[in-house]
Amino acid sequence: MTMQQQKILPPHRSLQVPGVHGYTDRKSVAAGEVVRFHISSDVPYTLSVCQLGSDTEGRTDDAVLHTFEPSAPRVHPIHPGSYVRVERGLDQPLRALTLECWVQVWSLGTRQSVIGQFDLAGACGYGLFIDEDGRAVFHLGDGGAFRAEGQLSGGALQPRRWHHVVATWNGSETVLWLDGEAVARGRFDGPLQPGRAPLRLGSSGIDGLADAFLEGDIVMPAIYSHALQAHEVKARFADRGLHTPRGRTVLACWPLREERGDVVADASGHQRTGRIVNHGTWMIVGPAFEPHRVNEFSDDGYDPLTDPTRGHGLRLASDDLYDCRWPESHAFRMPADAKSGVYVGRVSFLLDGRSAEYDITFIVRRAANRAPAPVLVLCATNSWLAYAATPFAKNVASDPVWPRRSAGLQNSLPEAPAFCSYTYHRGGQPTYQVGLRMPWPNASPNALYDPADAGFSQWTRLERRLHVWLDRCGYDYDVASDLDLHRDPGLLKAYGTVFINGHSEYWSQPACDGLDDYLSNGGTAIVLSGNTMYLRVSYDEECTVMEQRKVRGPGDEDGAESVELRPPAGPYGEQYHSQDWARGGQFRQAGRSCADLIGLESAGWAFADGDDFGVYHATQPGHFLFTQPHPLGLEEGSTFGHAPGGGLPRAIGHEWDLSVATLRRMTRTLPAGERLPEPHRGIQVIAEGRRQRPGRLDAYLDYYSQPTDSLGGLSAEMIYWERPQGGRVFNAGAVGASWVLGADPSFEGLLRNVLHHFGVRPATGADLADQPSLEHAAP
């Protein structure tokens, strides 16, 4: 199957999404390359390409590079819903039939399809379904109009539990079997014709369009040309979906062993190869899986591909969508000398009679033929993607405040996909993947984040504080996205120092390797981030889908753990990625501690109210980073990392990081068989980030991400580390570190000192030897 064939969407139920929405073909382009915009709008609009200016709280000085002619309204549909389409269906009359599948349905309330060739209302062949109440439904027909007498229903499937469903017809009697037992019997005298409807797994047709999608997981679907007898059904149930059926009567069987990609092979010998539409989710554990085989806290060599109990599940969802497939609306070649940074395609339109703007954010890298700047600033685009809930959010004219854990804004259409790494699919399936060829309105430079009273953001708006500060101070820098580093782990070698900025939570293994190699060869890193490098991501071959895996613990299958402690997660055992079959979730549980790279580990969060944010307290005021070349005049216990007077912005909030040495002190209970790592040598804690006012949603975590108590409000540590394996790291340990730039002269002076000692000088003007007042009132 060619790549072009894979991209063609078969006839599929569509949704018309109201409002203005858009995305670029790539989230990052180089200067001199063409950026392509894909926009759906139900109102007239004008698109401009803009370089963001120095106003991080507004748009007052953004530079317009190009404005296109006004565009007429043009709404493009979306086509959510995943299933498997088999081009070579059954095409001969049948004298007997069995449909078999292990199914784990996630929610009820709608009619869902498991397997069959069935299109309402005029091409109804055979099919296995689940009705609104969870009953199995077996339908047989002549391939034409729907025949109610050909339908048998019975049994009751329980959500989030594996069931073995079998439907048999011996030429006259129909039987439904559930978990090895007959639950309903009926009669169908034929004729049985497959008809012209395509063969689908996880979907059936309505008026020729794929619809009635399964909200669930499937294992070992199969079709037979004979009716399985009772002993055969019981044997298949006892097998737990681990072995393929054999024999001449097997017309099709899909073992689902691929565990990646779009192709689903048929083991029957009849070459009924399937293709997954809208991606689906691989690496789902089956009904025979034994959780004790996987260590919860470490990667001890477990290989999911050799586990004889794991099974091979495929998860499908009615709202699966990772590529809108919208046509190109506008294209613009970035100037070859365009400054590297954050840009937007700005859509201007009228919203209820008011002027409104919708920004499509993208990154511009330096041109390939241009010499690199001394500094690279990494944009935390993996996190922007992970939090991209409600990609089709209802347009608003004011700066939107996104709810905590990115629960999302009001959806422009209730049926439109609204899942992200922090929210479930509509049917309750955990989200393991997000698409890049989708809108990400949370990445807009005007987006804010809870707490609503703080004026805080964790994405573009926050990160641009650093960009604007570097511009103001005369430092030359380039920017790159997380995906750029993933694709080219060696790109850091061209730079004197690298900034890790914002909420840089999601990293790929190649990106970690690139940073480790860079530091080990003498590089320097400035980390103005918290919760840094906490979770692993991977990408598909085309880098259009990002995967991450969060799962519950083996003893928490029913969600007993507080939802305030962990974000939405999937069943234990599913922490292995389909892109590379390696363990996902927390890096420290996947065999690599980020503290080995940057000195600190994620240690908790709090973002209920603006008062939750704390400040830094100097612990080594005589350290050279506080005194050379710019003496900051701090004393032991002096506070910084806050606005004058102690007000917002304050640095220590949202999420934060601590050293292994401190996490050891906070770990009260060791999980069975685990041993704490030794503290890292050479780390100098030069300041402590403390939060004196506990918040109502505080979560302090120990080394194993177990809930624990704070050490007197200690939340973050600011460190300087000359790594024994090479390289130097300054780590501020808090998501809000960049937030105080432009508000706190002490933190700005500290950052200038760090850059100075890392060999970076301003390109213009003096090294700002004259400092503004560094005095602050205690908060």
Side-chain angles (χ1 to χ4, degrees):
M1 185 177 297
T2 68
M3 189 65 67
Q4 185 62 31
Q5 288 174 317
Q6 291 179 16
K7 291 181 178 179
I8 295 174
L9 183 71
H12 197 107
R13 177 198 63 178
S14 65
L15 296 176
Q16 302 289 328
V17 183
V20 176
H21 312 280
Y23 59 94
T24 52
D25 62 327
R26 293 170 291 168
K27 303 300 187 188
S28 171
V29 299
E33 291 183 343
V34 174
V35 57
R36 305 180 191 279
F37 297 92
H38 304 256
I39 298 172
S40 174
S41 176
D42 60 3
V43 296
Y45 68 90
T46 301
L47 174 67
S48 300
V49 181
C50 302
Q51 177 185 358
L52 299 181
S54 62
D55 181 5
T56 60
E57 303 303 304
R59 303 176 172 90
T60 58
D61 63 348
D62 294 348
V64 178
L65 277 64
H66 180 74
T67 299
F68 294 91
E69 292 295 320
S71 297
R74 188 178 180 190
V75 176
H76 301 296
I78 57 173
H79 302 86
S82 58
Y83 71 100
V84 178
R85 181 182 173 97
V86 180
E87 293 298 333
R88 188 177 183 181
L90 309 186
D91 58 3
Q92 298 295 322
L94 296 168
R95 297 181 179 180
L97 179 70
T98 294
L99 306 177
E100 178 194 13
C101 191
W102 280 91
V103 181
Q104 178 174 229
V105 63
W106 280 83
S107 64
L108 304 176
T110 60
R111 185 177 175 90
Q112 304 175 42
S113 308
V114 179
I115 183 172
Q117 290 177 245
F118 187 94
D119 273 9
L120 282 176
C124 300
Y126 62 91
L128 179 61
F129 308 89
I130 301 166
D131 72 10
E132 294 82 351
D133 297 322
R135 295 177 301 177
V137 177
F138 184 27
H139 180 273
L140 298 176
D142 61 5
F146 176 76
R147 297 170 58 185
E149 65 272 20
Q151 186 160 286
L152 174 69
S153 62
L157 280 73
Q158 300 299 314
R160 306 190 184 194
R161 175 184 164 190
W162 281 106
H163 290 284
H164 184 237
V165 186
V166 178
T168 64
W169 175 61
N170 64 6
S172 58
E173 185 184 35
T174 56
V175 185
L176 271 171
W177 308 78
L178 187 63
D179 298 333
E181 301 296 330
V183 293
R185 295 180 184 271
R187 186 173 184 86
F188 180 76
D189 295 320
L192 176 54
Q193 296 272 7
R196 57 183 172 80
L199 174 54
R200 303 182 181 99
L201 310 178
S203 172
S204 59
I206 299 179
D207 295 328
L209 305 177
D211 206 326
F213 300 103
L214 178 68
E215 302 281 16
D217 311 337
I218 58 175
V219 162
M220 201 67 74
I223 304 174
Y224 306 73
S225 63
H226 86 286
L228 293 184
Q229 300 301 303
H231 71 279
E232 294 175 295
V233 173
K234 291 180 181 296
R236 295 296 298 158
F237 172 61
D239 183 68
R240 310 293 285 173
L242 294 179
H243 299 93
T244 58
R246 301 295 182 186
R248 291 184 177 182
T249 63
V250 179
L251 299 179
C253 177
W254 300 272
L256 305 177
R257 295 194 182 105
E258 291 82 2
E259 301 291 12
R260 68 163 65 147
D262 294 328
V263 177
V264 175
D266 171 24
S268 73
H270 293 288
Q271 300 181 2
R272 291 192 167 95
T273 302
R275 177 171 71 90
I276 302 174
V277 176
N278 281 338
H279 209 67
T281 304
W282 287 108
M283 294 297 284
I284 301 303
V285 295
F289 173 65
E290 297 175 358
H292 66 83
R293 291 177 175 268
V294 182
N295 186 302
E296 182 178 6
F297 295 101
S298 65
D299 186 8
D300 61 353
Y302 172 82
D303 183 355
L305 301 185
T306 61
D307 179 356
T309 74
R310 184 177 179 85
H312 303 280
L314 176 65
R315 179 163 295 152
L316 304 170
S318 68
D319 59 348
D320 264 337
L321 184 67
Y322 305 92
D323 183 348
C324 288
R325 296 185 175 91
W326 291 344
E328 176 186 312
S329 303
H330 306 77
F332 176 71
R333 185 174 296 278
M334 297 299 300
D337 61 351
K339 176 178 170 57
S340 181
V342 181
Y343 289 69
V344 298
R346 180 158 294 156
V347 183
S348 301
F349 60 102
L350 289 179
L351 180 63
D352 298 328
R354 297 175 56 193
S355 295
E357 293 174 327
Y358 176 96
D359 283 345
I360 305 171
T361 303
F362 62 99
I363 306 300
V364 173
R365 310 184 304 275
R366 68 177 174 88
N369 60 357
R370 182 178 176 183
V375 172
L376 177 70
V377 179
L378 192 64
C379 293
T381 52
N382 287 346
S383 291
W384 303 2
L385 284 166
Y387 280 87
T390 48
F392 308 101
K394 186 175 181 180
N395 299 135
V396 294
S398 58
D399 290 359
V401 179
W402 290 73
R404 65 187 300 270
R405 291 215 175 115
S406 204
L409 302 179
Q410 181 180 353
N411 212 348
S412 61
L413 183 72
E415 296 82 11
F419 61 86
C420 75
S421 299
Y422 292 84
T423 56
Y424 291 107
H425 285 266
R426 181 180 298 107
Q429 304 93 320
T431 298
Y432 293 155
Q433 298 156 139
V434 292
L436 277 71
R437 292 180 62 83
M438 300 274 291
W440 56 350
N442 64 302
S444 168
N446 72 327
L448 294 165
Y449 191 74
D450 265 352
D453 62 337
F456 173 75
S457 174
Q458 62 158 322
W459 307 302
T460 311
R461 190 168 182 154
L462 168 67
E463 293 186 36
R464 286 211 328 111
R465 290 271 187 153
L466 172 61
H467 303 179
V468 169
W469 182 82
L470 290 169
D471 286 331
R472 180 167 61 84
C473 294
Y475 293 102
D476 280 346
Y477 65 96
D478 296 329
V479 303
S481 71
D482 286 332
L483 181 54
D484 296 322
L485 181 57
H486 169 82
R487 282 173 157 162
D488 180 12
L491 72 84
L492 301 180
K493 296 177 181 179
Y495 295 93
T497 197
V498 57
F499 275 95
I500 299 169
N501 191 26
H503 190 179
S504 190
E505 177 179 6
Y506 294 85
W507 281 63
S508 70
Q509 190 67 54
C512 287
D513 291 342
L515 178 63
D516 195 9
D517 184 59
Y518 167 74
L519 291 171
S520 296
N521 284 280
T524 60
I526 301 172
V527 184
L528 303 184
S529 169
N531 191 220
T532 308
M533 220 173 290
Y534 185 53
L535 295 166
R536 188 178 84 88
V537 299
S538 59
Y539 284 89
D540 64 347
E541 290 183 0
E542 293 185 328
C543 289
T544 59
V545 176
M546 185 182 81
E547 182 175 8
Q548 63 77 35
R549 299 263 173 158
K550 301 184 186 79
V551 300
R552 296 187 293 269
D556 191 34
E557 287 301 313
D558 295 323
E561 192 172 41
S562 169
V563 296
E564 298 299 340
L565 180 59
R566 287 187 180 177
Y572 186 71
E574 293 180 0
Q575 55 264 66
Y576 291 86
H577 285 220
S578 63
Q579 312 293 3
D580 55 16
W581 302 328
R583 183 170 177 142
Q586 297 177 25
F587 263 110
R588 73 184 89 168
Q589 295 180 2
R592 181 167 210 166
S593 168
C594 68
D596 295 340
L597 272 70
I598 57 175
L600 301 178
E601 284 276 9
S602 184
W605 53 75
F607 36 93
D609 303 289
D611 285 344
D612 287 351
F613 287 84
V615 301
Y616 292 107
H617 297 253
T619 57
Q620 293 192 41
H623 194 276
F624 66 84
L625 291 181
F626 288 135
T627 61
Q628 303 170 21
H630 307 300
L632 305 185
L634 299 177
E635 299 178 352
E636 187 171 355
S638 293
T639 66
F640 63 101
H642 55 81
L648 293 172
R650 293 193 293 269
I652 312 302
H654 191 59
E655 305 197 28
W656 52 73
D657 298 347
L658 292 166
S659 65
V660 169
T662 299
L663 287 171
R664 284 170 58 96
R665 294 164 56 202
M666 296 172 66
T667 303
R668 316 288 194 229
T669 304
L670 282 179
E674 296 301 311
R675 183 177 63 182
L676 285 166
E678 292 299 315
H680 294 86
R681 293 185 294 110
I683 289 180
Q684 302 172 38
V685 179
I686 65 174
E688 294 180 342
R690 294 190 174 273
R691 301 171 54 256
Q692 303 299 341
R693 302 183 181 93
R696 55 189 169 88
L697 297 179
D698 287 8
Y700 285 90
L701 307 179
D702 68 11
Y703 183 81
Y704 297 97
S705 293
Q706 301 173 130
T708 187
D709 298 319
S710 75
L711 301 176
L714 175 63
S715 301
E717 289 173 304
M718 178 181 284
I719 66 166
Y720 172 73
W721 186 28
E722 295 183 358
R723 302 190 335 151
Q725 63 269 48
R728 293 174 290 163
V729 174
F730 169 81
N731 194 335
V735 169
S738 292
W739 193 25
V740 302
L741 291 171
D744 180 8
S746 292
F747 192 81
E748 294 177 7
L750 169 63
L751 202 53
R752 285 193 291 267
N753 287 347
V754 173
L755 285 164
H756 177 88
H757 286 284
F758 284 179
V760 178
R761 304 289 187 271
T764 59
D767 196 4
L768 299 175
D770 296 327
Q771 301 292 310
S773 171
L774 299 177
E775 296 180 1
H776 285 309

